[in-house]
């Protein structure tokens, strides 16, 4: 099942890339489960990757959308949670306190992230924000044997790009040259 899921993940990545190509991004580099996309109009280049989680009885290949280069200051890494019960009303970052507070307090970033259907949101220690999206991925289970692709919903590529541009704006304000 894992082998079939890995092959489906490659096909899902091709479909994900096409969605970003419609926004004007062009592939620079492709690997079996990752691609670097060149931005138009000076925005940050993107890295799309399908990252596996799970092992024996099931798992998924989740779409992670990040900037190709760090856009935020280096830190110990951050994690974030959406705020709100029914409707997201912002995001609370945890980790490096100064950077976490700055990101949590930014209204434009919160507004952009409210539109993104993310499973998990992190900032890698080198300064790359990572959106693990709910769509554009592959889920597999062993009993009963099922491999299912979850498409990237309409409007989500634009929402993710907008959020990553807001991260880059904050990075520029903090003196990061990306």
């Amino acid at each position: 099942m894992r082998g079939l899921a890995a092959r489906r993940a490659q096909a899902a990545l091709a479909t994900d890339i096409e969605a970003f190509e419609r926004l004007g991004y062009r592939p620079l580099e492709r690997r079996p489960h990752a691609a670097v996309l060149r931005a138009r109009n000076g925005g940050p280049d993107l890295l799309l990757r399908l990252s596996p989680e799970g092992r024996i009885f099931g798992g998924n290949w989740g779409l992670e959308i990040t900037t190709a280069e760090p856009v935020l200051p280096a830190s110990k890494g951050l994690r974030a949670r959406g705020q709100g019960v029914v409707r997201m009303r912002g995001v609370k970052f945890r980790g490096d306190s100064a950077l976490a507070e700055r990101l949590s307090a930014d209204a434009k970033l919160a507004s952009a992230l409210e539109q993104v259907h993310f499973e998990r949101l992190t900032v890698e220690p080198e300064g790359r924000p990572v959106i693990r999206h709910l769509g554009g991925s592959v889920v597999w289970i062993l009993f009963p044997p099922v491999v299912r692709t979850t498409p990237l919903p309409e409007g989500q590529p634009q929402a993710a790009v907008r959020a990553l541009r807001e991260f880059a704006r904050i990075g520029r304000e903090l003196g990061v040259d990306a």
Side-chain angles (χ1 to χ4, degrees):
M1 288 303 287
R2 285 189 286 179
L4 176 60
R7 289 189 299 279
R8 292 257 180 101
Q10 289 177 342
L13 180 62
T15 302
D16 297 338
I17 291 169
E18 289 172 5
F20 284 89
E21 284 180 320
R22 288 190 288 276
L23 300 179
Y25 285 86
R26 296 289 167 247
L28 286 177
E29 176 187 342
R30 280 186 81 163
R31 290 171 253 152
H33 296 105
V36 176
L37 306 178
R38 166 78 66 199
R40 64 177 179 164
N41 301 330
D45 293 345
L46 301 180
L47 170 62
L48 303 182
R49 61 185 175 215
L50 283 167
S51 179
E53 286 187 356
R55 292 190 146 180
I56 298 169
F57 298 111
N60 67 50
W61 285 79
L63 174 62
E64 294 182 348
I65 309 164
T66 183
T67 56
E69 299 296 326
V71 296
L72 294 169
S75 69
K76 293 180 181 176
L78 304 174
R79 292 172 299 160
R81 294 183 68 119
Q83 301 294 306
V85 176
V86 176
R87 186 173 186 278
M88 190 162 42
R89 294 177 285 108
V91 176
K92 174 88 172 156
F93 287 84
R94 300 176 197 280
D96 180 89
S97 61
L99 182 58
E101 287 176 21
R102 172 67 173 88
L103 295 174
S104 296
D106 193 281
K108 288 181 181 178
L109 177 62
S111 175
L113 288 171
E114 286 175 6
Q115 304 306 311
V116 180
H117 303 165
F118 62 87
E119 173 186 341
R120 184 172 56 234
L121 184 61
T122 59
V123 176
E124 294 176 341
E126 69 270 10
R128 289 192 316 185
V130 179
I131 300 167
R132 186 170 174 102
H133 204 279
L134 290 169
S137 57
V138 174
V139 176
W140 66 276
I141 56 174
L142 192 56
F143 300 110
V146 174
V147 176
R148 178 157 304 189
T149 301
T150 305
L152 192 58
E154 189 69 33
Q156 284 302 293
Q158 295 92 328
V161 166
R162 180 176 170 232
L164 292 173
R165 286 185 177 175
E166 290 300 325
F167 279 112
R169 174 190 56 82
I170 293 167
R172 286 190 305 274
E173 291 174 0
L174 294 173
V176 176
D177 185 28

